[in-house]
Amino acid sequence: MVSSVERNQFGQREKLPTLIIGYARLNNIRDLIKEAINFGVDKIYLHLDLGKNDELRASQEHFCKEIKSDFGDKVIIKLAKENLGVARSVCSAIDWFFSFEKSGVILEDDLIVTKTTFEFFRVAIPHLDLNSRCLLISGSTFLREEGHESELNIMWTNFPLIWGWATTSSRWKILKDLMIQPLPRKWFVSRIRGFLSVGAYGALTCSIDTWDSPIALGMWINKYLCMAPPHNLVSNNGADLLATHTKREEFPIGNPIIEFDISAINFVEPNPKSIKRANERIIRQNYVLRPHHVVAPLILRLRAADQGTLRRKLNDEF
């Protein structure tokens, strides 16, 4: 049973406000809207980054008119006035979303979800209030199905698994702050920390147009938590010609959705042993750590590139 405090903070959680962040995968956006409405979501926010060419911009404008005609007030649309790129578009979209809502689900246009995905978020969001170290709930596990534990225990990890996730407006502020923090000056001998530092450096200097890499490093360093389901509930089909970064269809791209009884989930408390086990499985199945990653943070600090570039680039959104 949800307490009155939880109801006050999260509102009528049955409605589950949902943000869809899109660009060019217009057919998939329509599928996401339909799936959300089929579940019962009555307020969907659609943020589209403006196309880089006239053909795409014309398609986007036509698409927005179709969506308004088909779904009416259930879908609130914002089409950017300029092409923002990945990092600015995501931040602008989430800021816009949380200017209206206190909590909700965040999806990008390369994802596949089902009613079970929304049902998981519906029952999981109130649990955010019970753990101040948890910054987000993920619908993805980034794990292959074989090797999953038979018990339906919630999974806790220090990685932000952002392929279909939910959070609150207050936690988004923490995530944004982590996003623009420069690399820490203190050096630790750690391959995974070095690996994450390389990604964060690319984002902070804007040599890579991304937003989640600095968050991954910040969550790892500060031991923030992400809650994930016992089985994967979101699939990413984004290895296509429209992809910005992911060009090859290899795991975890296409990781299948596993339907199960959401009411049977055990919302176990996080403990160091289970967190470490989940972290190790995610690292083993998703990352290739090299010996040079140990010294990567030290090398990156010696470079002259400005790590404040991303902060300035996002200045309008912050």
Side-chain angles (χ1 to χ4, degrees):
M1 181 176 294
V2 182
S3 70
S4 59
V5 173
E6 289 168 337
R7 283 194 181 278
N8 288 337
Q9 177 168 350
F10 297 104
Q12 294 179 315
R13 63 193 179 99
E14 303 84 19
K15 296 184 178 181
L16 205 64
T18 297
L19 168 67
I20 299 173
I21 304 171
Y23 179 56
R25 296 183 180 92
L26 304 182
N27 289 334
N28 203 61
I29 291 172
R30 179 178 285 276
D31 291 340
L32 289 171
I33 292 172
K34 287 180 179 178
E35 202 63 60
I37 290 176
N38 286 341
F39 174 74
V41 175
D42 71 345
K43 192 177 290 186
I44 299 168
Y45 296 80
L46 172 59
H47 185 284
L48 285 176
D49 191 13
L50 188 66
K52 293 182 179 180
N53 56 66
D54 292 339
E55 182 180 0
L56 179 53
R57 287 194 288 269
S59 296
Q60 289 175 325
E61 290 175 4
H62 179 70
F63 177 74
C64 290
K65 291 177 182 177
E66 282 188 335
I67 293 299
K68 291 304 292 182
S69 174
D70 293 346
F71 302 106
D73 293 338
K74 289 184 177 180
V75 182
I76 303 167
I77 302 173
K78 181 177 181 180
L79 178 60
K81 296 180 180 179
E82 62 177 315
N83 182 262
L84 301 173
V86 176
R88 288 178 65 202
S89 177
V90 169
C91 291
S92 176
I94 300 176
D95 280 345
W96 172 62
F97 178 56
F98 283 129
S99 70
F100 299 100
E101 304 292 342
K102 292 186 176 181
S103 68
V105 176
I106 300 167
L107 305 172
E108 294 184 62
D109 66 2
D110 56 358
L111 302 177
I112 299 172
V113 298
T114 69
K115 290 177 70 175
T116 307
T117 312
F118 287 104
E119 177 63 20
F120 169 68
F121 286 129
R122 184 185 70 81
V123 301
I125 284 178
H127 289 266
L128 277 173
D129 196 38
L130 306 178
N131 191 313
S132 61
R133 302 299 298 171
C134 182
L135 297 186
L136 68 153
I137 300 165
S138 175
S140 304
T141 64
F142 282 65
L143 294 174
R144 293 180 173 87
E145 186 58 24
E146 61 268 19
H148 269 278
E149 298 177 2
S150 57
E151 293 183 347
L152 294 179
N153 291 338
I154 211 74
M155 182 177 79
W156 295 93
T157 176
N158 296 123
F159 291 107
L161 309 178
I162 48 82
W163 286 358
W165 54 294
T167 192
T168 64
S169 57
S170 59
R171 285 166 170 80
W172 169 238
K173 292 177 182 178
I174 298 173
L175 291 166
K176 278 203 310 185
D177 187 57
L178 293 177
M179 192 190 311
I180 55 175
Q181 293 301 313
L183 298 184
R185 299 194 62 81
K186 192 172 183 180
W187 177 45
F188 291 85
V189 179
S190 166
R191 286 192 186 185
I192 184 59
R193 184 159 173 167
F195 178 89
L196 296 175
S197 295
V198 171
Y201 182 85
L204 291 168
T205 58
C206 291
S207 57
I208 302 174
D209 186 10
T210 189
W211 61 281
D212 55 323
S213 298
I215 291 177
L217 177 63
M219 284 189 58
W220 183 265
I221 291 173
N222 294 283
K223 300 187 184 303
Y224 283 119
L225 293 170
C226 169
M227 180 195 305
H231 300 289
N232 191 57
L233 291 175
V234 178
S235 186
N236 187 311
N237 64 348
D240 55 22
L241 295 176
L242 299 172
T244 303
H245 302 299
T246 308
K247 300 295 185 181
R248 293 184 296 177
E249 191 167 341
E250 58 186 20
F251 185 84
I253 293 290
N255 196 21
I257 292 173
I258 306 299
E259 303 280 355
F260 64 97
D261 182 5
I262 298 298
S263 67
I265 293 178
N266 302 311
F267 282 90
V268 296
E269 292 294 315
N271 65 77
K273 188 174 181 180
S274 65
I275 295 169
K276 181 180 179 182
R277 183 168 64 248
N279 288 344
E280 289 174 346
R281 291 170 65 199
I282 291 170
I283 292 170
R284 186 168 59 251
Q285 295 187 30
N286 294 273
Y287 302 134
V288 179
L289 304 184
R290 307 293 188 187
H292 69 266
H293 285 134
V294 173
V295 296
L298 182 62
I299 295 171
L300 294 174
R301 283 209 309 272
L302 297 176
R303 293 186 176 180
D306 186 352
Q307 294 182 42
T309 306
L310 180 62
R311 179 193 291 270
R312 288 191 296 276
K313 186 176 181 180
L314 299 178
N315 185 58
D316 291 341
E317 280 65 59
F318 281 72

